[in-house]
Amino acid sequence: MKADELQIQEVLEGVSDSILSMDSDLRYIYVNTQATKVLGTNRDEMLGRKFDEVFPEITSTRFYETILKVRDDGLVRELEEYYAPLESWYNCRFHRSPNGGVTVFFTDSTEKRRIDHRLRLALAGGKMGVWEFDYTSGICTFDERLGQLFGFPSSKRKATMEEFLEVIHPDDRKSVEEASTRALAEKSDYAFEFRVEKEDGTFRWIEEKASMTFDSRGEIIALVGVSFDVTERKRHESELLELAASLKRRVEERTQNLRMIAENVPGFFSVVDRNLRYAFVNRKYEKAFGVSIEKFRDLPVEELLGETVWERMKPRLEKALEGEELIFEAEVETPKLGNMMLRVCYIPQQGTEGEITGVYVLGIDITNERRLEKEVLNATEREKMRIGVELHDDLCQRLSGMGFRAKVLAKKLDQAGLGDLSAEAEENVRRLNESTKFTRDLARGMAPITVEGQSLQQALRSHLEELRQRNPELELHLDVSLRTRELSSTMATQLHLITQEAVRNALRHGRAKRVDVRFWSTGAYVFLAILDDGEGDPIALQELVERGDENGLGLRSIAYRARILGGSFRIETGIGRPGVQIVCRLPVKELETLQIERLHL
């Protein structure tokens, strides 16, 4: 075998695709190692034998028909086909070989089809659509469901920003443009709500959540997001506010009408007195906590909720007792109904002379709404990782292979005395190498954990090292006293994004000169802490997150991702020095960690 043929064979053995090559009689002349693994065959038993002798059951399939067509007409074809003996789907590409035969490149697409199917189900069930905005072209590409949400024709799959703005309610256009501009300037994830006009003249409410994709220089190249119809949720919120106002008007009717009203509230209703004890509850509390209504009388709120939830609820109750109305979301664990996510409204109770005598508490169950958001976010992150992996493992491999062949061609042309053509071939090599690097950087930005085969620790070290190279004056430390076992790439990516966002906030908004990132485990929980020496005010930042202020989108994103992982998020004063410490507490049962020796950056 010639040296060039050996080099080509080494390249083919190194690619991730399975490769089968046949002559004009459909006899096997080459089978790479990956193909033998996928098909469970021996290479020596295949070479020299006809295709239908090795796999007789395939002669009546579209796969076999396609091979014959490509051999006869020479047209390149692609086909995705189910192979029953292996119970798998395969994506195949067919090329006619110079010898008149056929070469087949194929990959297992079973998992991709399964993920795509789950994503479609999640999007269909939640009235949601996905989209991607390319900053270079200014064009947004979207799926059919998003087109329906915005009232576009069923055949339309692309639109400009101006086309989207035209269908947004005139009163909301300015705020949408401002939110987009702010997110672009801050290079941060964002979420906002607006109205879109329907065909009957009414409006539907749309909520958008989006994440930016960056190149290796940190420049934005695309925005990937999900939009979903929250009209029903907005209606519920409006009903909740209307109900709160109604209760305030009826408070003068006192206790004789309170029970009737409370039992018709679609959720939890109670009255907490100034001593932070229950003065009244409806039967929803009885069903959730397994305690009779009579026993709730004078029961301390702290005793019912438990220490962890009470730490979050007490400051809010105290504000309500000072006359402030509050609406927020909280996760509560109940003995009978399990964990619930509630949208809670605190309304100060006024006496006959205007004094605050207690707090009305309304709680609406939004558990299913949050679960659906979690499923959609996970599906979106999996799709980003899948695309990143395919770019890295497929397109990069092809570009590398093309670059190798172009290099060989340039050398041959030079040896043949064709210097001009050789120079052109070398230029193609250079451009292919640049394209390979650009594609690899793009893939790394979409799937930081998966595409390089890195662990979470390795990915974090790489990210901090890149920051330090761009900012030599920064002092960055990574301290990991645990390792993850059987940690999904989706979960690892969420942890990576939490750290990335926290460090970005510390540097951009806190103007920190030093940032410490720590992971450790204590029994049932894993902790992630990001400590900086910046100028941030922990109390103000925590209030920013709780109010849902748009200026705190980065911190709200961290809190949301922590909740997706089943954990909690808080902002504290720095330990032993000025600054801010962001702490995420995550349950070990979700992460499955083991203690190991410390790793230092």
Side-chain angles (χ1 to χ4, degrees):
M1 185 178 294
K2 297 180 180 179
D4 289 347
E5 294 177 347
L6 284 172
Q7 290 179 340
I8 292 174
Q9 182 169 328
E10 288 179 0
V11 172
L12 296 178
E13 287 295 321
V15 300
S16 58
D17 284 14
S18 301
I19 304 174
L20 303 174
S21 187
M22 296 162 276
D23 61 17
S24 57
D25 294 327
L26 301 187
R27 294 181 183 275
Y28 287 110
I29 59 176
Y30 175 74
V31 180
N32 75 344
T33 302
Q34 181 64 19
T36 62
K37 292 179 180 178
V38 171
L39 298 174
T41 58
N42 186 294
R43 196 194 325 258
D44 294 335
E45 295 176 357
M46 296 177 65
L47 295 178
R49 297 178 63 191
K50 284 191 173 183
F51 181 78
D52 54 4
E53 292 177 3
V54 181
F55 301 105
E57 70 280 356
I58 214 167
T59 54
S60 60
T61 65
R62 290 196 304 154
F63 186 85
Y64 188 68
E65 294 173 359
T66 304
I67 289 178
L68 296 178
K69 289 179 181 179
V70 172
R71 183 190 64 177
D72 295 340
D73 60 22
L75 297 178
V76 176
R77 288 180 170 85
E78 291 192 9
L79 174 68
E80 189 170 35
E81 182 74 323
Y82 182 74
Y83 185 47
L86 295 181
E87 299 180 347
S88 298
W89 284 88
Y90 294 95
N91 194 307
C92 310
R93 300 183 305 281
F94 304 83
H95 302 261
R96 187 162 70 178
S97 306
N99 60 10
V102 178
T103 298
V104 184
F105 299 82
F106 63 97
T107 56
D108 189 330
S109 61
T110 307
E111 184 62 22
K112 173 182 174 298
R113 289 178 65 91
R114 184 179 297 115
I115 292 174
D116 289 345
H117 179 65
R118 291 175 179 171
L119 177 61
R120 286 194 298 271
L121 287 177
L123 294 175
K127 298 180 181 180
M128 305 176 189
V130 293
W131 51 269
E132 180 175 3
F133 180 74
D134 187 331
Y135 275 100
T136 302
S137 65
I139 298 297
C140 183
T141 304
F142 49 86
D143 64 2
E144 179 181 1
R145 191 163 299 280
L146 186 129
Q148 294 172 354
L149 291 179
F150 282 82
F152 290 133
S154 58
S155 60
K156 192 176 183 65
R157 291 293 179 273
K158 295 183 178 181
T160 63
M161 181 62 72
E162 289 71 23
E163 289 177 292
F164 277 100
L165 289 173
E166 286 179 2
V167 299
I168 293 177
H169 192 291
D171 294 342
D172 295 341
R173 289 174 187 168
K174 183 177 179 180
S175 61
V176 170
E177 289 182 289
E178 289 175 349
S180 301
T181 301
R182 184 165 51 252
L184 178 62
E186 296 178 354
K187 296 184 178 180
S188 61
D189 295 351
Y190 72 86
F192 53 86
E193 298 175 349
F194 52 86
R195 289 164 290 176
V196 171
E197 187 173 9
K198 298 166 64 175
E199 293 180 357
D200 60 2
T202 61
F203 292 89
R204 63 163 57 93
W205 277 94
I206 303 295
E207 181 176 0
E208 280 192 353
K209 295 180 183 294
S211 179
M212 294 185 179
T213 302
F214 304 87
D215 60 19
S216 59
R217 299 170 298 176
E219 298 296 325
I220 303 171
I221 57 176
L223 192 63
V224 179
V226 59
S227 300
F228 41 99
D229 191 332
V230 294
T231 305
E232 191 68 14
R233 192 198 79 192
K234 298 294 287 189
R235 184 179 67 81
H236 286 318
E237 290 178 351
S238 177
E239 290 176 351
L240 180 62
L241 293 175
E242 291 177 4
L243 179 59
S246 175
L247 288 175
K248 291 178 66 177
R249 290 191 301 268
R250 296 180 185 181
V251 70
E252 295 179 355
E253 298 177 10
R254 309 305 295 174
T255 309
Q256 64 268 26
N257 293 323
L258 190 58
R259 175 64 61 186
M260 179 186 67
I261 296 172
E263 296 304 339
N264 285 280
V265 170
F268 294 88
F269 175 79
S270 63
V271 178
V272 176
D273 63 22
R274 292 197 63 85
N275 296 319
L276 301 179
R277 294 174 177 268
Y278 287 105
F280 177 89
V281 299
N282 67 353
R283 296 195 180 277
K284 186 73 173 181
Y285 281 83
E286 187 177 67
K287 294 178 181 179
F289 292 93
V291 178
S292 66
I293 289 180
E294 293 74 18
K295 292 184 177 180
F296 271 91
R297 182 71 181 179
D298 292 330
L299 179 69
V301 179
E302 179 181 5
E303 184 176 332
L304 180 73
L305 298 182
E307 181 180 353
T308 301
V309 177
W310 176 244
E311 289 179 357
R312 301 197 305 270
M313 296 299 105
K314 182 181 179 181
R316 295 186 174 111
L317 279 171
E318 290 173 344
K319 287 183 178 181
L321 288 171
E322 293 172 359
E324 183 177 349
E325 293 187 8
L326 302 172
I327 296 179
F328 58 92
E329 295 178 2
E331 184 176 6
V332 178
E333 182 176 358
T334 65
K336 299 299 183 181
L337 301 182
N339 285 348
M340 303 178 69
M341 180 62 69
L342 302 178
R343 183 171 290 116
V344 182
C345 179
Y346 283 173
I347 304 171
Q349 180 191 50
Q350 293 184 342
T352 55
E353 298 181 2
E355 75 278 17
I356 306 299
T357 59
V359 178
Y360 293 111
V361 180
L362 299 173
I364 303 298
D365 186 1
I366 58 170
T367 305
N368 289 334
E369 178 181 320
R370 287 293 173 261
R371 177 186 57 77
L372 191 56
E373 286 183 8
K374 176 179 178 179
E375 290 175 359
V376 171
L377 180 61
N378 286 339
T380 303
E381 292 292 348
R382 286 195 298 270
E383 183 67 7
K384 284 178 60 179
M385 286 189 287
R386 182 187 68 78
I387 295 172
V389 170
E390 288 188 358
L391 285 173
H392 185 273
D393 292 348
D394 189 355
L395 185 56
C396 284
Q397 292 285 357
R398 296 188 191 187
L399 291 172
S400 296
M402 293 170 63
F404 173 79
R405 293 186 181 185
K407 186 70 175 179
V408 172
L409 177 61
K411 183 176 180 181
K412 289 182 177 180
L413 291 172
D414 185 63
Q415 292 174 347
L418 301 174
D420 292 341
L421 293 178
S422 176
E424 290 184 16
E426 287 289 351
E427 176 62 19
N428 286 335
V429 171
R430 185 187 66 79
R431 293 181 179 180
L432 284 168
N433 289 338
E434 289 180 350
S435 298
T436 301
K437 183 180 183 303
F438 174 82
T439 304
R440 186 173 290 111
D441 290 341
L442 178 62
R444 186 182 296 113
M446 299 183 71
I449 304 295
T450 308
V451 299
E452 299 292 352
Q454 293 181 319
S455 67
L456 175 61
Q457 295 94 321
Q458 291 169 332
L460 289 174
R461 283 201 298 271
S462 298
H463 175 65
L464 296 180
E465 188 59 38
E466 290 176 4
L467 282 178
R468 187 157 56 189
Q469 289 177 1
R470 293 198 299 268
N471 305 277
E473 73 282 0
L474 289 178
E475 191 175 353
L476 300 170
H477 300 273
L478 175 64
D479 188 1
V480 181
S481 58
L482 58 87
R483 70 180 177 195
T484 54
R485 180 184 60 181
E486 300 177 359
L487 181 63
S488 72
S489 56
T490 298
M491 189 173 293
T493 299
Q494 294 290 348
L495 291 172
H496 186 276
L497 291 173
I498 288 175
T499 305
Q500 193 175 42
E501 184 61 46
V503 173
R504 184 186 297 123
N505 270 279
L507 299 181
R508 181 181 298 130
H509 302 297
R511 292 188 283 275
K513 299 300 182 182
R514 170 174 175 166
V515 179
D516 295 88
V517 179
R518 295 184 58 214
F519 280 85
W520 75 95
S521 176
T522 57
Y525 293 95
V526 165
F527 291 84
L528 162 62
I530 299 93
L531 173 64
D532 68 68
D533 64 350
E535 304 171 0
D537 181 353
I539 297 177
L541 292 175
Q542 186 70 49
E543 291 179 348
L544 197 70
V545 175
E546 294 178 357
R547 289 200 310 268
D549 196 304
E550 291 185 357
N551 293 325
L553 284 177
L555 294 174
R556 287 166 57 195
S557 172
I558 295 173
Y560 185 78
R561 294 181 188 280
R563 190 170 68 223
I564 288 296
L565 296 178
S568 61
F569 158 85
R570 65 181 186 272
I571 303 174
E572 302 175 341
T573 303
I575 299 175
R577 65 171 187 256
V580 172
Q581 179 171 243
I582 292 176
V583 180
C584 295
R585 187 180 71 168
L586 312 168
V588 170
K589 64 181 180 180
E590 294 286 338
L591 300 177
E592 298 183 1
T593 61
L594 294 175
Q595 284 291 116
I596 61 168
E597 72 226 41
R598 291 183 179 273
L599 301 174
H600 296 279
L601 180 69

